[in-house]
Amino acid sequence: MQLNSIYLQSKKLEFAACTGAVVKDVLDNVEGRSRPLSQLNLLHDLSVPAGGWATLTIGGNDVWFSKVIVKCFFAQRYAGQCNDQLERSEQEIHSKAFADKLWQTYMRILQQSTLPGFTLVVLSYPRLFNGLELRCNDKSFVTGGRYIAPKLSLEKRQRVNAAISTVNELIKQTVIEIRNRQLLERSKKRIFYYEVDNHYWYHRYCDFQNSDGTPRDWKDDAWFFTIFGDDDDGGVIPQDAERINVRDLDLTTCERKLGADELSGEEFDIACHFRAMLASDSDFDLPPPHSLTSFWPDGYKKGFHPKRVAHSEIARGIWLRWGSVWGPQPER
């Protein structure tokens, strides 16, 4: 959840979001974490000016998005589980429980805000792939060395894109229903839906050319960070960064968690994948500056998340939509 303005030089910006968050992280305090306060309580406690607003993107990790990425595009060892994982994710997307999670999240944010003119802008998810390009069928996110990743088949790309579109439609309809309710109750608090996917034309994975027809790299020029990609700025690892010794992870536990519908988190899924690879190849290690004995999860968790250029374009789009459709823009 991003609080206050994210585009213009606003009076204050508070960033309460975190990678890998699920609805529980937004709504509930969890003891024992480095940041035990929920995002909702951070919103309540932050000193946000009257008429403040927030943007929110949530839901993907509640339908096991990180497991789809690991099993379908990242871990050859688990590639045979890709179809089953996609089916579980698709079933969860269509479940009443998931729809209820979205409704409850948006409503609780609006209800808990003490600002009478508070506005919540709910963002969609971008589709990750060009779903028509055949030249990407023999591509994979990691090539060379001892690391092998599954190919980006057209069927998998289209299926993942379709799942993202379904999630977006559900988010949109939930926002519309709550907005209509707010209008009937004459509430001054507002909620809007913003579609980010349109910003990603010619900027997805497997786009081989720009809008003007000039060539581009199918992976590194996309508006998403890639694990082990040329855009990885992990050359310097902070001294106080939290690390995992992959060699100490229990392989049986990893196999169970990767095979179950557990929200174990992206960093655990990826670390467990490395542990499994080590079991089949005792000489396997990660490229410097990373290593299995000092694995830095945050260097990988940004994978498949938007780059700064994407965030800038989305922020600009929100600002323009606010001025032309939603009403008066927030004060600078």
Side-chain angles (χ1 to χ4, degrees):
M1 193 184 308
Q2 300 82 38
L3 307 182
N4 204 9
S5 172
I6 57 174
Y7 177 53
L8 295 179
Q9 297 189 3
S10 58
K11 298 174 182 177
K12 187 170 186 178
L13 168 67
E14 298 289 354
F15 193 82
C18 59
T19 301
V22 295
V23 163
K24 185 177 180 64
D25 296 306
V26 176
L27 301 181
D28 302 321
N29 296 340
V30 180
E31 297 297 332
R33 292 189 313 189
S34 58
R35 191 176 66 179
L37 274 183
S38 69
Q39 295 179 31
L40 185 56
N41 278 331
L42 286 173
L43 171 64
H44 181 72
D45 294 340
L46 290 170
S47 176
V48 185
W53 57 287
T55 65
L56 172 70
T57 308
I58 196 69
N61 290 303
D62 287 274
V63 295
W64 308 302
F65 173 75
S66 67
K67 291 186 184 296
V68 170
I69 293 301
V70 170
K71 294 179 180 180
C72 295
F73 301 110
F74 188 62
Q76 184 66 41
R77 179 185 177 94
Y78 300 102
Q81 300 177 20
C82 173
N83 184 67
D84 289 343
Q85 184 61 60
L86 276 167
E87 286 185 357
R88 284 196 292 270
S89 294
E90 289 163 348
Q91 289 172 3
E92 184 66 19
I93 290 170
H94 289 94
S95 70
K96 183 178 184 300
F98 181 57
D100 288 345
K101 280 184 180 180
L102 295 178
W103 175 278
Q104 292 166 7
T105 302
Y106 306 156
M107 285 300 298
R108 280 187 59 182
I109 292 172
L110 290 170
Q111 290 167 354
Q112 186 156 329
S113 172
T114 58
L115 306 172
F118 177 77
T119 299
L120 177 64
V121 180
V122 183
L123 278 60
S124 70
Y125 287 91
R127 288 173 295 168
L128 293 173
F129 302 101
N130 179 322
L132 299 175
E133 179 58 71
L134 298 179
R135 285 177 291 176
C136 221
N137 284 345
D138 63 347
K139 301 293 185 183
S140 64
F141 283 115
V142 186
T143 57
R146 310 177 79 90
Y147 196 100
I148 301 174
K151 301 296 184 183
L152 305 181
S153 70
L154 184 66
E155 179 185 1
K156 282 195 299 187
R157 286 182 278 134
Q158 290 179 340
R159 193 168 173 184
V160 169
N161 277 356
I164 293 171
S165 294
T166 302
V167 170
N168 289 344
E169 185 61 27
L170 181 58
I171 291 172
K172 179 180 178 180
Q173 292 305 316
T174 304
V175 169
I176 290 174
E177 290 174 13
I178 293 177
R179 173 149 177 76
N180 289 339
R181 173 174 171 167
Q182 296 292 99
L183 291 172
L184 286 173
E185 295 177 353
R186 298 186 177 181
S187 172
K188 293 183 179 180
K189 295 180 181 180
R190 304 188 302 168
I191 182 171
F192 297 114
Y193 172 81
Y194 185 76
E195 177 63 69
V196 306
D197 190 64
N198 293 331
H199 291 286
Y200 283 83
W201 289 108
Y202 298 99
H203 301 297
R204 310 181 203 278
Y205 292 127
C206 299
D207 279 330
F208 283 81
Q209 65 180 28
N210 298 303
S211 57
D212 60 2
T214 56
R216 62 189 301 280
D217 186 87
W218 71 270
K219 179 181 68 173
D220 292 332
D221 288 339
W223 280 5
F224 306 100
F225 287 109
T226 52
I227 299 171
F228 289 134
D230 293 339
D231 53 20
D232 181 17
D233 59 0
V236 178
I237 300 178
Q239 291 297 316
D240 60 347
E242 183 178 356
R243 303 165 191 252
I244 295 175
N245 188 334
V246 173
R247 295 177 183 273
D248 289 343
L249 294 177
D250 180 70
L251 182 60
T252 302
T253 301
C254 280
E255 295 280 9
R256 176 177 60 81
K257 284 186 174 290
L258 282 172
D261 293 337
E262 297 186 28
L263 299 175
S264 52
E266 291 167 290
E267 69 273 22
F268 187 85
D269 286 347
I270 294 173
C272 271
H273 168 53
F274 292 148
R275 177 65 182 88
M277 292 191 68
L278 181 65
S280 59
D281 182 354
S282 59
D283 293 326
F284 173 74
D285 206 343
L286 301 178
H290 310 281
S291 72
L292 292 179
T293 56
S294 185
F295 171 59
W296 180 39
D298 286 346
Y300 295 82
K301 287 166 67 177
K302 71 178 184 179
F304 299 91
H305 287 74
K307 295 178 180 177
R308 182 177 300 178
V309 60
H311 282 300
S312 296
E313 284 301 307
I314 291 168
R316 177 177 174 272
I318 290 174
W319 182 255
L320 294 175
R321 174 68 59 83
W322 208 312
S324 61
V325 179
W326 296 343
Q329 296 160 317
E331 294 181 4
R332 296 185 181 219

